[in-house]
Amino acid sequence: MGAALRRIQVGSALSAFGLGFTVPYLYVYVAQVRDLGAGTAGVVLAVFAVAALAVLPFTGRAIDRRGPLPVLVTAAAAAAAGAAALGVASSVTAAVLSAAVLGAGTAVMQPALATMLVWCSSTTTRTRAFAMQFFLQNLGLGIGGLVGGQLVDVDRPSSFTLLFLIEAAMFVVLGVVAATVRMPHSPTLTDARPTGDGEPKAGLRMLLSHRAMVQLCVLGFVIFFACYGQFESGLAAYGTEAAGIDPSTLGIALAANTAVIVAAQFVVLRLVERRRRSRVIAWVGLIWAFAWIVAGYAGLGHGSRTMATAALISTYALFGLGEAMLSPTVAPLVADLAPESMVGQYNSAFALVKQLALAVGPAVGGPMGASLHGPYIVTFVLFSLGITVLALKLGRQLTPVQDKPSLMTAPSRVVAVSLPDGEPVTAPAAVH
C-alpha cells in the first residue's frame, strides 16, 4: 500500500477500536448506569439509525463536490463531540441528542472512507484495500470490546465516561490522520476530483437509471437484512428463547464471528480475488442458508443444550466466513460501477441501503425470533437463497472486468464503466 492508503487504513482501524469500547455497553449505560430506563435506551439505539438515514442522502453529493477529505474530517469532529457528550449525558434529552450527533458522524464516515480508498487504489488493488479495511475494522472492534470490558463498572459511571472519552479521542485521531493524507495525483482521478464548477455532472436520476447499481443495492439490502440486521436482535432472541442458551453465550458467539473474520480474511482473499465477484456472492448466499439451517437445529432439533450452544456458535462463525468473502467483492464493485464524477454518491447510496436494512432487520426479525421460531428460520433460509439468485442475476449486468478484476492488465481507476443509459463500455486503461 502507498503512504496515503496506509494512513487511511490506520485511521479507520483506530476509529473502529474506539467504537468497540462503547457499542456493546451502550444499552447498559443508558438504562442502568444513567438510570434512564429501558425505553430511553431503546430510543437512543434507534436514534443512531435515524440519524444515519437523515444525513446519508446528502453525503454523497458533498463528497463529490468538496472531496472526501473535508467531509471525513467534519464527520470525525462531529462523532468525537457526540461521543464526549454522551459520556456525560445524565438526562433523556442530552442522551438522545448526543446519540444523534454520534450516529450522524459515524454514518458519514463510511462513504467518505470508501471514496478515499477508491481514490488511493486501482481496480487491481482495490479488492485487497477493502479486504484490509474490513479486517482491521473487525480487529479494532474486537480488541476495543475486550479492553472496554475490563474497564467498565456498572457501579462507577465515571468508568463509562472514560470509555466514551477514549472513543472521542479515537475519532479525533482519525480526523488528524485524514487531514495529513496527500491524495495521489494520478491523471486517472481527474474527473473524480471536485473542480469547483458547481453541481456534479449527474445525480440521483442517473443512479436510479443504472440497472446494475440498482440491482446491487437490492442485493445489498437483502445481504444486510439477512445477516447483520439479525445478529443482536432476531438471532439473539431466537437463541435464548428457542435454543435456551445462556445470554452470556451470545458474547462467545459474536467473538467466534469476529475470530473467523480475522483468521480467514486473507486466506479467503486468495481464493476469491481471481474469481467472478457475482459467483463469490452467490456462494455466500448458500453458506448463509446452511448457517440458518444449523441455527434451526439449535432451536428446533431437540438436542442437548450443549449441542444447541455449539450449533448457535457455529451459525455465527459461518456468518463470519460469508462476511470475509463479501468484503473484497461488494464494496469494490460499488466503486467500479460508479462514473468518475459520482463515486461519493454511489458509496453513499449503498451506505443508505445498508442503514435501511439495519433498521428494518431488527424490527422484523426480533419479534419473529422470539416467538415464531420455525417461520423465522424458514424466512431467512429463503432470504439467503435469494442472495444467490440475485447475485447470479447481477452477474449478467456486469462487464467481464467488473465481475472479475483479475482480467485487468494495467492499473486504472476505472477500466469498465457500466453506463446507465446504454450498453456497458470498456474505458481504456491508463498508461503510467
Side-chain angles (χ1 to χ4, degrees):
M1 294 185 295
L5 191 53
R6 283 198 300 270
R7 293 187 183 189
I8 295 168
Q9 298 284 32
V10 169
S12 177
L14 289 175
S15 65
F17 176 71
L19 280 171
F21 268 88
T22 60
V23 169
Y25 316 108
L26 184 58
Y27 182 90
V28 173
Y29 170 70
V30 175
Q32 300 179 18
V33 177
R34 292 300 180 184
D35 198 26
L36 298 178
T40 301
V43 171
V44 167
L45 291 172
V47 161
F48 279 99
V50 173
L53 296 177
V55 298
L56 282 173
F58 309 100
T59 301
R61 188 170 291 272
I63 292 173
D64 290 331
R65 182 186 298 174
R66 305 295 182 189
L69 272 174
V71 173
L72 178 60
V73 171
T74 302
L86 192 56
V88 296
S90 57
S91 66
V92 174
T93 301
V96 171
L97 291 178
S98 301
V101 175
L102 177 58
T106 54
V108 172
M109 288 180 195
Q110 298 177 41
L113 281 168
T115 304
M116 291 179 72
L117 287 181
V118 172
W119 283 19
C120 294
S121 62
S122 67
T123 299
T124 53
T125 62
R126 192 168 301 132
T127 295
R128 286 182 172 269
F130 277 97
M132 175 63 78
Q133 183 196 41
F134 188 71
F135 168 81
L136 291 174
Q137 285 183 335
N138 276 276
L139 188 62
L141 284 169
I143 295 175
L146 290 174
V147 175
Q150 304 305 311
L151 299 177
V152 295
D153 184 346
V154 177
D155 297 324
R156 289 192 304 113
S158 61
S159 67
F160 285 83
T161 300
L162 175 62
L163 293 192
F164 283 102
L165 290 178
I166 292 174
E167 180 183 28
M170 292 299 101
F171 290 136
V172 171
V173 171
L174 171 61
V176 171
V177 170
T180 65
V181 172
R182 296 183 62 184
M183 302 302 291
H185 295 284
S186 169
T188 59
L189 290 173
T190 301
D191 292 336
R193 299 181 184 281
T195 60
D197 295 333
E199 295 293 320
K201 296 180 180 179
L204 180 62
R205 183 177 300 178
M206 181 176 177
L207 190 153
L208 292 177
S209 68
H210 192 166
R211 183 178 298 179
M213 181 59 186
V214 171
Q215 289 189 9
L216 181 57
C217 286
V218 173
L219 173 61
F221 181 89
V222 176
I223 287 172
F224 292 114
F225 177 79
C227 176
Y228 298 93
Q230 304 307 313
F231 270 6
E232 297 176 3
S233 58
L235 192 54
Y238 172 84
T240 54
E241 297 292 338
I245 68 168
D246 191 280
S248 62
T249 304
L250 295 175
I252 299 174
L254 286 170
N257 173 266
T258 302
V260 168
I261 293 172
V262 171
Q265 181 65 83
F266 293 104
V267 176
V268 169
L269 179 61
R270 287 180 176 273
L271 296 175
V272 306
E273 65 180 346
R274 293 192 174 274
R275 287 169 172 79
R276 294 174 60 180
R277 287 166 167 169
S278 58
R279 297 291 176 85
V280 172
I281 300 171
W283 273 106
V284 171
L286 296 177
I287 291 171
W288 283 359
F290 178 67
W292 282 108
I293 292 173
V294 173
Y297 169 78
L300 307 173
H302 305 294
S304 66
R305 185 171 182 179
T306 300
M307 291 297 294
T309 299
L312 194 73
I313 293 174
S314 298
T315 299
Y316 278 84
L318 287 169
F319 276 126
L321 178 61
E323 292 173 74
M325 295 170 66
L326 288 175
S327 63
T329 52
V330 175
L333 181 55
V334 174
D336 287 345
L337 286 174
E340 295 282 1
S341 61
M342 294 184 65
V343 176
Q345 291 179 72
Y346 271 56
N347 281 322
S348 294
F350 196 76
L352 179 61
V353 167
K354 176 181 178 179
Q355 290 297 328
L356 283 170
L358 294 180
V360 175
V364 174
M368 288 187 68
S371 57
L372 302 174
H373 303 148
Y376 177 68
I377 295 298
V378 172
T379 297
F380 284 94
V381 167
L382 293 177
F383 266 100
S384 299
L385 295 176
I387 292 172
T388 301
V389 174
L390 290 171
L392 295 176
K393 185 177 180 181
L394 172 64
R396 294 194 289 269
Q397 296 292 327
L398 304 177
T399 65
V401 175
Q402 286 171 340
D403 203 15
K404 190 176 181 181
S406 61
L407 295 174
M408 172 69 172
T409 57
S412 169
R413 194 339 250 140
V414 172
V415 296
V417 180
S418 180
L419 298 177
D421 297 321
E423 294 296 323
V425 177
T426 300
V431 178
H432 296 277

